[in-house]
């Protein structure tokens, strides 16, 4: 059965592939699985029909027959468990790759999201400008540690895995902030992910949605 995922009808990222459907699209492409996309507006996301799929009224969701999932990490994990290409066969290597999935989402992404959202959430507060270097400092701590661990390796633990997929997507959220560039091996790591054919197919597919919404 062909899975159906949801994505923004018109992504606020302007087609840059920063919304979280991109992670799911990339995982499906790595796994060689065809998929359909249902586009949803911000209004439709908050309707009961969508909340039945996603209790927080967000994208992405994933439906496959009777199964409905939300949370991009859980969806990528589901795809990786059921199809080859995203998790190693060896049990210990698999556990380590899953650890990197959690590290990307639980340890590296939170300070990046906090910095990203600060202007919207608290930009009008008198202490906002003073807080930005603190938030950026927290990002640099994590990037420094990640950079040390990656060293000159291509991927975080042997072959490319779902851990790398999520980590690359999390690091991509730093685009335009000028921070990632301070860590040349991390910049190269992200670029390595972006050159994967599956990444390119996923990127082009989500960009086409934005182009169609803008020209249609
Ligand atoms: N933890 C959830 C997951 O990983 O799936 C988070 C899902 C989530 O934040 N979804 C966002 C959403 O639906 C879209 S991806 N937001 C609508 C809402 O909450 O009402 C987050 C996102 C949005 C926009 C950009 N951008 O413009 O660059 C980047 C990322």
């Amino acid at each position: 059965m062909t899975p159906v995922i949801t994505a923004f009808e018109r992504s606020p990222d302007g087609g840059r592939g920063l919304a979280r459907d991109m992670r799911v699209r990339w995982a499906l492409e790595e796994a060689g699985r065809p998929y359909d996309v249902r586009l949803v507006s911000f209004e439709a996301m908050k309707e009961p029909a969508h909340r039945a799929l996603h209790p927080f009224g967000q994208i992405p969701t994933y439906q496959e027959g009777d199964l409905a999932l939300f949370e991009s990490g859980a969806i990528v994990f589901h795809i990786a468990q059921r199809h080859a290409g995203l998790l190693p066969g060896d049990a210990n290597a698999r556990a380590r790759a899953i650890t990197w999935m959690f590290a990307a989402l639980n340890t590296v992404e939170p300070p990046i999201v906090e910095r990203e959202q600060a202007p919207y959430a608290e930009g009008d507060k008198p202490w906002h400008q003073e807080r930005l270097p603190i938030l950026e400092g927290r990002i640099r701590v994590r990037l420094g540690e990640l950079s040390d661990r990656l060293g000159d390796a291509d991927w975080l633990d042997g072959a490319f895995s779902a851990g790398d997929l999520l980590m690359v997507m999390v690091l991509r959220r730093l685009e335009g902030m000028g921070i990632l560039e301070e860590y040349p091996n991390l910049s190269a790591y992200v670029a390595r992910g972006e050159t994967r054919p599956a990444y390119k197919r996923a990127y082009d597919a989500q960009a086409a949605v934005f182009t169609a919404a803008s020209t249609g």
Side-chain angles (χ1 to χ4, degrees):
M1 179 156 296
T2 304
V4 180
I5 68 166
T6 50
F8 280 130
E9 190 177 72
R10 192 186 182 93
S11 180
D13 71 3
R16 291 191 298 145
L18 296 173
R20 287 179 172 89
D21 60 293
M22 176 64 199
R23 304 165 182 196
V24 176
R25 291 173 183 270
W26 187 7
L28 286 162
E29 292 288 355
E30 290 285 350
R33 308 302 299 177
Y35 62 97
D36 292 326
V37 183
R38 187 165 56 78
L39 302 175
V40 286
S41 65
F42 275 96
E43 295 73 34
M45 268 179 231
K46 308 303 174 196
E47 294 293 331
H50 188 75
R51 282 195 192 271
L53 294 173
H54 197 309
F56 308 117
Q58 296 182 313
I59 60 100
T61 60
Y62 176 99
Q63 287 172 277
E64 190 178 16
D66 292 341
L67 178 67
L69 299 175
F70 60 96
E71 283 297 331
S72 58
I75 298 168
V76 170
F77 185 43
H78 170 79
I79 296 163
Q81 275 187 305
R82 277 162 181 73
H83 306 290
L86 284 162
L87 285 174
D90 172 76
N92 284 353
R94 195 176 181 92
R96 289 195 303 273
I98 293 166
T99 300
W100 279 114
M101 295 177 69
F102 279 86
L105 302 181
N106 285 0
T107 302
V108 180
E109 185 162 46
I112 295 174
V113 171
E114 200 171 354
R115 167 63 185 86
E116 192 182 88
Q117 291 182 349
Y120 313 107
E122 59 198 37
D124 57 344
K125 302 288 188 289
W127 38 261
H128 171 63
Q129 286 300 328
E130 210 176 323
R131 192 164 175 263
L132 289 181
I134 298 170
L135 297 179
E136 291 177 0
R138 288 183 194 152
I139 295 174
R140 286 190 175 90
V141 168
R142 290 296 175 238
L143 294 194
E145 292 162 339
L146 186 66
S147 170
D148 288 347
R149 172 54 77 100
L150 181 67
D152 58 7
D154 280 354
W155 306 114
L156 289 166
D157 191 311
F160 174 84
S161 78
D164 294 297
L165 184 152
L166 290 176
M167 192 66 82
V168 166
M169 288 309 306
V170 163
L171 295 177
R172 276 208 58 221
R173 297 189 73 155
L174 290 164
E175 264 179 27
M177 279 193 216
I179 298 179
L180 187 68
E181 294 70 13
E182 296 169 21
Y183 306 86
N185 66 335
L186 295 184
S187 290
Y189 171 67
V190 171
R192 203 171 293 124
E194 290 171 336
T195 58
R196 292 180 71 83
Y199 175 95
K200 288 184 182 167
R201 288 193 295 274
Y203 185 92
D204 290 347
Q206 63 77 37
V209 171
F210 187 80
T211 305
S214 307
T215 55

